[in-house]
Amino acid sequence: MWKIRDLKKKARGTFKRNYVGIVITCFIAAVVMGSFINPLKEVRTIKDTYFDQLNGTVLFAENHNSDMSNTEVVDNFLGKSGEESERAQHWTRGVLSVFAKNTEGAGNFVYGVLNSINQIVFNDRVSAGVTIAIGSLIYLLIAILFTKVLLIGLYRYLLEIRVYTGTRISRILFPWSVKKALHIAWVMFVRSVYSLLWCLTIVGGFIKIYSYKLVPMIIAENPELSAKEAIKLSEDMMKGYKWRAFLIDLSFIGWDILNILTLQILGVFFLEPYKRMTTVELYMTLREKAKERDIENADRLCDKLLESEVTSGIYPINEYFITVPKGKKWILEDYERDYGLSSLILIFFTFAMIGWLWEVLLFLFTRGEFINRGTSHGPWLPIYGVGGTVVLIVLKKFRNKPWLTFLLSMVLCGVIEYFTSLILEKVQGMRWWDYSGYFMNFQGRICLEGLAVFALGGCAAVYLVAPSLDHLFCKIPMKIKKIICVVLVVLFVVDMAYSAFVPNIGEGITDNDVARIEIKKSDVLIASDFLLI
């Protein structure tokens, strides 16, 4: 018969060998799962969703008899005052400012987003009760489809790292990597329903907590098992061991008290990871016993790679008994290609013209008038061309990592936009754009909202637009392509030289909210400055 102290000793050994990785993954899981589950506690009873406790207003009806807007009713429902902080009062422009102000007002991300959509799309006409109901449903779906699935990913990581000390933290995404996330979500949902129903009995809930204790580890090992099979297997494996599992939990009571005294700090850096690893060791011990007893479906626990000796390597994914289906290739163009000089020149002008067309049409639809945007007079906005081509050239070795390309595109475009604005103000004495009032802006020269759009545009340029354009440009005879490039470059240089002395200014171009700075006449033209504009 195995002893509790031996089982916990094995857990401590694994924890000691892989302390940093285990603490980080357990912390990530705790934060993510807690962030989505805890807000459910803020949602009051169904009765309260029909009547606002503050003024008796029926929330599912329009608030005709109340001075509060639907958004303010939601904020009060969540126990928030809805008052803006001094910081939020400066967020007056942009879509992200609306989201940020509502999130801070509600003190809740999901309800902040719902309030923002209500204001932007529906002009705050959606009643507060509908917003609250939708928010509650979203939290329920997140809990079912994500948080419980992430728990399986955590246990998969812990199962692997007890043997393979080189296991990467990314293995916490195991359910999604094997394309079994929806099935796992269903299994965990069924387990939760069973547990809830047993809790309606006097002692059944307490017993079944331990009967179903091994389901997450079982599914982490073999995600192809059905909910019925996993639950039945857990019950059979725990038969005769539920009391000992209870004693294991009881053995941590001293640590639990100490955790309270340390304001939960001990739990983050030691206790919770220690408990998780002990549960994993309990599973592996009972897994071995189940095979010895030849219980039903014990042969389905067939990942023999988890039984290996401790090694410094990583889990050999290619030897996993489940074949992972290949994902669909969404990008058909060869985005890792090299671009010739002529193609880069044409791509630069294409991006610059697309940027000009985008801003002109934006003002045409919002103001109903044609406004030639930019510092120059030609049909191009060079900052778009520079941003697109720089992303193509500088980030070439990161193209196989889209998420990194996105982040680096944001940084590069931010640097280009910031210094372009700075140079223009120093040389020409005025600003062509100003982000003051936008959420997370810096000196009014750049803002998070704009950088996010530029980063998305950079990714679109790298993976879709530039490869397609290059494919098209390669069909143009080289002689004709060179002529086109020369003509465009000459026109561009002439325009930049003329615009240096006679910049494009006026209403809709330089009429920013900041105080005007008188145009300074510059005797010297720094051509390199204006090639970036």
Side-chain angles (χ1 to χ4, degrees):
M1 174 66 71
W2 52 272
K3 297 181 180 180
I4 293 177
R5 65 170 178 269
D6 293 335
L7 190 140
K8 294 177 72 175
K9 183 178 179 180
K10 289 181 181 179
R12 288 195 301 271
T14 302
F15 189 22
K16 184 177 179 180
R17 287 194 301 271
N18 311 280
Y19 179 79
V20 175
I22 293 176
V23 167
I24 290 175
T25 49
C26 289
F27 178 74
I28 291 173
V31 169
V32 173
M33 291 189 289
S35 297
F36 285 118
I37 293 176
N38 288 342
L40 285 171
K41 299 177 183 178
E42 297 181 10
V43 181
R44 302 175 185 176
T45 63
I46 295 177
K47 177 183 176 182
D48 291 333
T49 63
Y50 285 93
F51 297 95
D52 181 19
Q53 293 182 346
L54 296 177
N55 55 23
T57 302
V58 179
L59 296 183
F60 282 107
E62 294 293 342
N63 299 310
H64 299 299
N65 300 322
S66 173
D67 293 332
M68 291 192 299
S69 67
N70 289 319
T71 297
E72 290 172 330
V73 174
V74 173
D75 292 346
N76 279 295
F77 171 82
L78 295 171
K80 307 298 177 181
S81 65
E83 296 180 359
E84 294 181 4
S85 66
E86 184 179 347
R87 175 186 57 187
Q89 291 174 6
H90 297 289
W91 301 334
T92 58
R93 302 167 61 196
V95 176
L96 285 185
S97 292
V98 177
F99 281 91
K101 289 171 72 173
N102 277 298
T103 300
E104 184 169 277
N108 185 293
F109 177 76
V110 170
Y111 283 105
V113 171
L114 290 175
N115 282 336
S116 301
I117 294 174
N118 189 11
Q119 291 177 6
I120 296 171
V121 180
F122 301 104
N123 198 25
D124 207 28
R125 290 193 298 268
V126 177
S127 66
V130 173
T131 302
I132 292 167
I134 293 174
S136 302
L137 179 60
I138 289 174
Y139 272 120
L140 180 61
L141 290 175
I142 290 175
I144 294 172
L145 299 177
F146 183 75
T147 58
K148 295 295 185 181
V149 178
L150 188 66
L151 178 64
I152 303 302
L154 172 62
Y155 276 119
R156 181 67 201 190
Y157 170 84
L158 297 178
L159 282 169
E160 290 186 12
I161 205 167
R162 67 182 293 276
V163 176
Y164 304 94
T165 59
T167 302
R168 299 185 179 93
I169 294 176
S170 60
R171 289 298 283 169
I172 198 173
L173 301 177
F174 167 79
W176 292 275
S177 67
V178 295
K179 316 295 183 184
K180 296 291 183 181
L182 286 178
H183 175 69
I184 290 173
W186 171 251
V187 173
M188 296 301 288
F189 174 73
V190 173
R191 174 183 180 253
S192 298
V193 171
Y194 278 25
S195 299
L196 178 62
L197 292 176
W198 276 108
C199 284
L200 299 177
T201 64
I202 298 176
V203 295
F206 177 78
I207 295 173
K208 290 302 178 179
I209 285 176
Y210 290 98
S211 293
Y212 304 152
K213 188 178 182 68
L214 302 183
V215 171
M217 280 73 71
I218 291 171
I219 292 298
E221 178 173 357
N222 187 351
E224 290 189 333
L225 286 168
S226 67
K228 183 178 179 180
E229 290 173 331
I231 291 173
K232 179 66 166 58
L233 187 52
S234 178
E235 287 180 316
D236 292 342
M237 291 173 67
M238 289 298 297
K239 192 170 295 183
Y241 297 106
K242 288 188 282 292
W243 176 250
R244 292 177 67 80
F246 169 71
L247 292 178
I248 291 175
D249 290 343
L250 197 62
S251 68
F252 288 104
I253 192 169
W255 289 110
D256 289 324
I257 294 173
L258 190 57
N259 185 36
I260 295 173
L261 296 177
T262 60
L263 303 177
Q264 310 294 326
I265 295 176
L266 180 67
V268 173
F269 293 100
F270 177 76
L271 184 55
E272 288 305 314
Y274 182 21
K275 285 183 177 180
R276 297 284 189 190
M277 279 312 310
T278 303
T279 302
V280 169
E281 289 297 339
L282 172 65
Y283 169 71
M284 292 304 294
T285 299
L286 297 184
R287 177 182 181 274
E288 183 181 352
K289 296 293 182 182
K291 290 179 177 294
E292 293 175 358
R293 291 156 52 195
D294 195 25
I295 66 173
E296 184 180 358
N297 285 327
D299 59 315
R300 302 291 299 278
L301 303 177
C302 51
D303 192 350
K304 298 185 180 302
L305 296 171
L306 299 177
E307 304 170 3
S308 305
E309 296 294 327
V310 177
T311 175
S312 60
I314 62 174
Y315 182 91
I317 300 174
N318 294 333
E319 298 179 27
Y320 188 47
F321 65 91
I322 295 178
T323 302
V324 180
K326 292 184 178 179
K328 183 177 180 180
K329 186 177 181 180
W330 295 100
I331 302 175
L332 301 178
E333 292 286 352
D334 176 22
Y335 55 83
E336 294 189 354
R337 68 179 68 194
D338 293 318
Y339 295 93
L341 179 60
S342 58
S343 286
L344 284 174
I345 293 174
L346 293 177
I347 288 173
F348 166 83
F349 282 104
T350 302
F351 288 163
M353 291 177 181
I354 290 175
W356 177 84
L357 188 62
W358 160 255
E359 295 208 13
V360 167
L361 289 177
L362 188 63
F363 272 74
L364 185 63
F365 284 111
T366 55
R367 293 194 180 188
E369 56 183 313
F370 174 83
I371 297 175
N372 184 24
R373 295 281 293 164
T375 63
S376 58
H377 298 271
W380 39 53
L381 285 176
I383 193 169
Y384 285 87
V386 171
T389 50
V390 167
V391 166
L392 278 179
I393 297 171
V394 176
L395 304 184
K396 182 179 183 299
K397 65 179 181 179
F398 303 110
R399 291 179 191 171
N400 60 338
K401 297 179 180 179
W403 62 272
L404 189 55
T405 298
F406 176 85
L407 294 177
L408 293 178
S409 295
M410 186 178 289
V411 173
L412 277 178
C413 292
V415 170
I416 293 171
E417 188 176 26
Y418 177 83
F419 283 102
T420 300
S421 172
L422 185 64
I423 292 171
L424 281 171
E425 187 173 328
K426 295 297 182 183
V427 176
Q428 294 287 20
M430 65 179 65
R431 290 190 181 186
W432 269 258
W433 64 87
D434 179 42
Y435 295 118
S436 298
Y438 280 77
F439 176 65
M440 291 188 70
N441 75 86
F442 181 64
Q443 298 179 355
R445 303 183 191 281
I446 57 175
C447 69
L448 179 61
E449 188 170 324
L451 295 182
V453 173
F454 279 130
L456 288 172
C459 289
V462 169
Y463 300 110
L464 297 173
V465 182
S468 299
L469 288 175
D470 186 52
H471 182 72
L472 180 65
F473 295 151
C474 287
K475 294 181 179 180
I476 303 175
M478 182 56 68
K479 186 176 181 179
I480 296 177
K481 188 158 59 171
K482 287 182 179 179
I483 293 174
I484 294 173
C485 289
V486 170
V487 171
L488 287 173
V489 170
V490 170
L491 291 174
F492 180 74
V493 171
V494 171
D495 188 13
M496 291 296 101
Y498 176 73
S499 299
F501 296 99
V502 187
N504 183 33
I505 60 176
E507 185 178 354
I509 304 172
T510 54
D511 57 340
N512 298 309
D513 295 330
V514 294
R516 295 291 177 273
I517 304 173
E518 231 180 283
I519 300 178
K520 301 175 182 178
K521 299 295 182 181
S522 178
D523 297 325
V524 181
L525 170 64
I526 305 176
S528 60
D529 290 343
F530 293 100
L531 289 177
L532 291 174
I533 301 170

